[in-house]
Amino acid sequence: QVQLVESGGGLVQAGGSLRLSCTASGRAFSSAVMGWFRQGPGKEREFVAAISWNGAITYYADSVKGRFTISRVNAENTVYLQMNSLKPEDTAVYYCARNIRGYTRATGAGDYDYWGQGTQVTVSS
């Protein structure tokens, strides 16, 4: 059993920054690819970023490339999402999840098994 808890969401003006955290408890965090997804109002859940088990490989959706950075500290069982130059269209509930395929380019929601409860990010214009 794996439990994931996100934090760090909030309200920010366009152009601002936020850092999301996802802390895991339970088995097999340090050996797993981890990812971030988001779901905006009236939209489907979409892939944002993923990171390999050792942090050496990252992969991003085109919509966030160059603005968001995913990282992890396995000793702390935590994965981060640094979000810079935020835009109103980044407004969404952000979720972290554990990848079951073992590679960062597996970006479908079905490629992930355990999910956190989500944290709200709101970007005002």
Side-chain angles (χ1 to χ4, degrees):
Q1 186 76 12
V2 175
Q3 292 182 321
L4 303 173
V5 179
E6 302 98 335
S7 62
L11 173 64
V12 64
Q13 289 188 330
S17 299
L18 282 174
R19 188 176 79 155
L20 306 183
S21 301
C22 171
T23 301
S25 61
R27 299 177 55 192
F29 169 82
S30 59
S31 62
V33 171
M34 297 295 295
W36 286 95
F37 284 72
R38 66 186 181 186
Q39 187 165 13
K43 298 181 179 180
E44 293 187 354
R45 192 169 297 191
E46 65 174 356
F47 170 80
V48 175
I51 187 167
S52 63
W53 70 273
N54 62 355
I57 300 171
T58 56
Y59 186 65
Y60 297 92
D62 288 343
S63 58
V64 306
K65 200 173 296 182
R67 300 187 298 122
F68 291 11
T69 302
I70 188 171
S71 62
R72 67 191 296 166
V73 179
N74 285 342
E76 298 174 357
N77 276 8
T78 301
V79 61
Y80 300 97
L81 185 69
Q82 176 67 43
M83 305 186 295
N84 299 328
S85 302
L86 282 160
K87 305 174 181 179
E89 51 263 43
D90 294 318
T91 294
V93 178
Y94 284 71
Y95 301 89
C96 70
R98 189 184 73 166
N99 183 297
I100 59 174
R101 304 297 182 200
Y103 52 98
T104 57
R105 290 182 180 241
T107 60
D111 296 322
Y112 289 75
D113 55 0
Y114 291 101
W115 295 78
Q117 83 290 348
T119 185
Q120 176 71 48
V121 172
T122 303
V123 184
S124 63
S125 57

